[in-house]
C-alpha cells in the first residue's frame, strides 16, 4: 500500500459517483451524470454490521483458507479481497448488500491473516504478489468456481489485477480500488522525488531487521496508525479497528508482510514456481475483462484514473469517491457494492 504517496500531490478533482440504492443494472459511462456527493453521504451504511457470521475453512493449494460467505449458494460468485493492514471485515457491510441482490459472496482472509494457515510448516512464508494471486485461483478451484466477479483494494486490488491479467478466463468482471497497481520490480528501483519517498516510510522501515522487530512488537498500534493516515476523514471507533486487529495475530502475519515489502524492492527473493508469472507481469500486461476502477482521496493526482486507463482495454468505467480514504469498501459500502453489481452487467 502506498500510504500518502498519492496524496502528496495536489489532487486532480473530478466528478464523484453518487451513492444510491443497489440495483442490478448496468451503468453507461457515456451517459451517467457526474454528481458530487459528500464523503459523509457516501459513508451511509458503514458499520451497520459487526459480524462476518461463521468463518468457514477449506484446503486450497498450500493453505487452509478461512473465509466468510454471504448470500445464496446458487448466486453469481463474487470474491472480495482485502489488503494490508486490513482483513475480511472490510466487507462486513458490502457482503450483506450483495447477498440481498442475489450474489454468493466469498471473502477470504489472505495468507498471514486471521485463521488462514499454511498446511505445511515447510512452506516458504512468501508474500510476493503472484503467490497471493495463485492462492485465490487455488481457492476458486477448491470451491469449484470456474469464473467469478472479483473486487478488491490495496493488496486485494493488486491481486484482482493480476488474476485478470494472467487468468482472464476466470474473471467475469472486476472492481479495483486505485486501479492498475501491479508491481514491476524494475520500476521500483527508480527513486522518486524526496517528498514522494516520504510516503514510503513503512516500506523502508520493513527493509530493516529493526523494522521487523518493531512491527512484530507493535503491530496493533502500527496498523492503527496506518488506518488513520490512509483514511484521515474516516472516524472509525476502537471496536471497529479491534475486530480487524485480531487478524494480525496470525503466526505468519509478520513474515508475510515483511516478505511482501522486501520483495517489491528486490531485497527478498521470490520462489521459482512463480517466476513465469512475474515475467509476464513485468511486461505490464493489459487487462481485457470488464472492469470498474475506483479512485479515492488516497490516490491524490491519480484519483481521476487517467494514468492507468489505457491498461484496461475491455469495457471500463472509472468512478471517483471524493472524501473517502483507502479502505473504500468499509468506508463507502454502498458505492462499492454498486460498482460490483454494475461491473457484472458491463
Amino acid at each position: 500500500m502506498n500510504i500518502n504517496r498519492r496524496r502528496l500531490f495536489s489532487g486532480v478533482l473530478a466528478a464523484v459517483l453518487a451513492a444510491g440504492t443497489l440495483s442490478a443494472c448496468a451503468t453507461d459511462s457515456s451517459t451517467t451524470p457526474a454528481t458530487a456527493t459528500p464523503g459523509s453521504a457516501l459513508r451511509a451504511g458503514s458499520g451497520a454490521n459487526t459480524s462476518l457470521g461463521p468463518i468457514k475453512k477449506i484446503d486450497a493449494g498450500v493453505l487452509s483458507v478461512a473465509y466468510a460467505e454471504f448470500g445464496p449458494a446458487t448466486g453469481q460468485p463474487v470474491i472480495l479481497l482485502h489488503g494490508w493492514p486490513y482483513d475480511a471485515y472490510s466487507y462486513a457491510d458490502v457482503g450483506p448488500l450483495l447477498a440481498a441482490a442475489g450474489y454468493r459472496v466469498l471473502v477470504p482472509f489472505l495468507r498471514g491473516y486471521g485463521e488462514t494457515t499454511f498446511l505445511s510448516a515447510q512452506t516458504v512464508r512468501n508474500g510476493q504478489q503472484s503467490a497471493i494471486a495463485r492462492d485465490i485461483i487455488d481457492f476458486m478451484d477448491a470451491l469449484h468456481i470456474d469464473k467469478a466477479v472479483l473486487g478488491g483494494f490495496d493488496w486485494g486490488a493488486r491481486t484482482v489485477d493480476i488474476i485478470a491479467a494472467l487468468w482472464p478466463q476466470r474473471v467475469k468482471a472486476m472492481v479495483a480500488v486505485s486501479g492498475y497497481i501491479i508491481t514491476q520490480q524494475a520500476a521500483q528501483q527508480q527513486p522518486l522525488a524526496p517528498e514522494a519517498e516520504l510516503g514510503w516510510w513503512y516500506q523502508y522501515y520493513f527493509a530493516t531487521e529493526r523494522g521487523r522487530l518493531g512491527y512484530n512488537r507493535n503491530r496493533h498500534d502500527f496498523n492503527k496508525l496506518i488506518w488513520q493516515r490512509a483514511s484521515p476523514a474516516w472516524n472509525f471507533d476502537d471496536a471497529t479497528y479491534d475486530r480487524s486487529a485480531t487478524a494480525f495475530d496470525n503466526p505468519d502475519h509478520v513474515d508475510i508482510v515483511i516478505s511482501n515489502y522486501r520483495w517489491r524492492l528486490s531485497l527478498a527473493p521470490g520462489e521459482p514456481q512463480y517466476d513465469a508469472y512475474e515475467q509476464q507481469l513485468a511486461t505490464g500486461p493489459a487487462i481485457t475483462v470488464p472492469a470498474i476502477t475506483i479512485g479515492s482521496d488516497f490516490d491524490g493526482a491519480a484519483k481521476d484514473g487517467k494514468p492507468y486507463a489505457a491498461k484496461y482495454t475491455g469495457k471500463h468505467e472509472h468512478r471517483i469517491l471524493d472524501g473517502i480514504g483507502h479502505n473504500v469498501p468499509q468506508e463507502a459500502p454502498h458505492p462499492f457494492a454498486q460498482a460490483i453489481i454494475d461491473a457484472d452487467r458491463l
Side-chain angles (χ1 to χ4, degrees), residues 284-297:
I287 291 175
T288 60
V289 306
I292 291 178
T293 52
I294 296 174
S296 70
D297 286 2

Side-chain angles (χ1 to χ4, degrees), residues 184-339:
Q184 295 172 285
Q185 284 183 309
Q188 292 284 310
Q189 299 306 306
Q190 298 303 311
L192 303 173
E195 189 177 11
E197 294 285 13
L198 180 64
W200 286 92
W201 69 271
Y202 61 93
Q203 180 168 256
Y204 302 134
Y205 183 63
F206 290 160
T208 69
E209 285 307 300
R210 182 171 182 263
R212 175 195 283 273
L213 180 62
Y215 187 59
N216 188 41
R217 285 183 181 176
N218 304 303
R219 70 186 85 168
H220 181 280
D221 292 345
F222 190 106
N223 290 342
K224 191 172 187 178
L225 176 65
I226 297 296
W227 276 40
Q228 292 165 340
R229 290 181 176 270
S231 301
W234 180 34
N235 296 316
F236 60 87
D237 59 20
D238 288 343
T240 297
Y241 176 73
D242 289 342
R243 279 190 290 273
S244 288
T246 61
F248 314 142
D249 293 332
N250 183 296
D252 301 308
H253 178 74
V254 173
D255 286 343
I256 295 300
V257 171
I258 297 301
S259 169
N260 180 283
Y261 287 103
R262 290 185 182 181
W263 176 85
R264 295 191 202 187
L265 293 179
S266 300
L267 298 175
E271 292 182 89
Q273 66 264 38
Y274 303 111
D275 286 351
Y277 299 147
E278 296 298 347
Q279 289 166 8
Q280 289 179 263
L281 297 174
T283 67
I287 291 175
T288 60
V289 306
I292 291 178
T293 52
I294 296 174
S296 70
D297 286 2
F298 176 81
D299 298 311
K303 182 191 287 190
D304 63 3
K306 291 180 181 179
Y308 51 75
K311 287 294 187 181
Y312 296 91
T313 59
K315 294 179 179 179
H316 173 227
E317 295 177 14
H318 184 72
R319 300 179 177 184
I320 300 170
L321 302 183
D322 205 11
I324 299 299
H326 193 40
N327 186 357
V328 168
Q330 196 163 5
E331 293 182 61
H334 278 273
F336 188 90
Q338 188 68 58

Side-chain angles (χ1 to χ4, degrees), residues 20-165:
T21 302
L22 291 176
S23 61
C25 62
T27 299
D28 183 343
S29 61
S30 65
T31 59
T32 301
T35 306
T37 304
S40 58
L42 293 172
R43 289 192 176 87
S46 177
N49 296 282
T50 59
S51 173
L52 294 172
I55 298 300
K56 302 181 178 183
K57 297 194 80 172
I58 190 169
D59 289 354
V62 300
L63 299 173
S64 172
V65 179
Y67 66 100
E69 183 168 358
F70 307 87
T74 56
Q76 165 64 51
V78 173
I79 298 175
L80 303 176
L81 304 176
H82 68 83
W84 173 85
Y86 304 96
D87 78 327
Y89 273 99
S90 291
Y91 298 100
D93 296 318
V94 170
L97 290 172
L98 292 175
Y103 289 92
R104 179 190 182 192
V105 183
L106 303 152
V107 188
F109 289 81
L110 300 184
R111 55 169 61 192
Y113 294 80
E115 296 179 45
T116 292
T117 56
F118 287 88
L119 296 173
S120 171
Q122 281 68 53
T123 302
V124 176
R125 273 40 177 178
N126 175 7
Q128 78 181 99
Q129 61 180 1
S130 57
I132 296 170
R134 183 69 240 187
D135 289 344
I136 303 307
I137 293 295
D138 291 338
F139 177 66
M140 293 174 68
D141 289 344
L143 290 170
H144 306 290
I145 295 173
D146 291 330
K147 184 175 285 193
V149 179
L150 302 182
F153 73 105
D154 196 76
W155 290 16
R158 179 173 294 107
T159 303
V160 169
D161 283 332
I162 291 169
I163 294 172

